[in-house]
Amino acid sequence: TPDGRLALIDFGMMADIDEKDRYGLFGLVIGLQNKDLALVTENLLELGFLKDTTQIDQLIPRLRAALMNATGGSGKASDVNFARLQ
């Protein structure tokens, strides 16, 4: 938002999300908002987006680089351009 708060936009898609996944998504958003890439990684594992922890030491720097690229270098979640997130 213009005042620096993170906002989620509802595009009308509805789904039931179990409690474990709901907390994983919360943790993911909080991790992104706070630039806590260890928390992001932990929640990606919990949500099943990552299969194991064998390359975590390589993942965190890559996530950091992707986040910086997607925000034009600011690193702020409010500046994320999803078209640039790779």
Side-chain angles (χ1 to χ4, degrees):
T1 64
D3 61 352
R5 294 184 296 161
L6 181 65
L8 298 177
I9 300 174
D10 179 3
F11 291 102
M13 295 175 61
M14 300 295 292
D16 289 326
I17 301 173
D18 65 37
E19 186 174 352
K20 179 181 177 240
D21 288 344
R22 190 169 44 245
Y23 284 113
L25 290 170
F26 289 152
L28 186 60
V29 170
I30 290 168
L32 287 170
Q33 183 177 15
N34 293 323
K35 298 181 217 157
D36 183 343
L37 296 180
L39 182 60
V40 169
T41 303
E42 176 185 330
N43 283 285
L44 288 173
L45 282 163
E46 287 293 321
L47 290 165
F49 289 106
L50 302 175
K51 293 182 182 185
D52 58 48
T53 60
T54 56
Q55 296 182 330
I56 293 296
D57 59 329
Q58 295 176 21
L59 178 64
I60 291 176
R62 290 179 181 181
L63 282 173
R64 183 172 287 112
L67 182 62
M68 293 304 285
N69 180 55
T71 60
S74 75
K76 293 170 50 178
S78 60
D79 292 339
V80 170
N81 176 341
F82 287 96
R84 295 179 68 186
L85 191 56
Q86 298 182 28

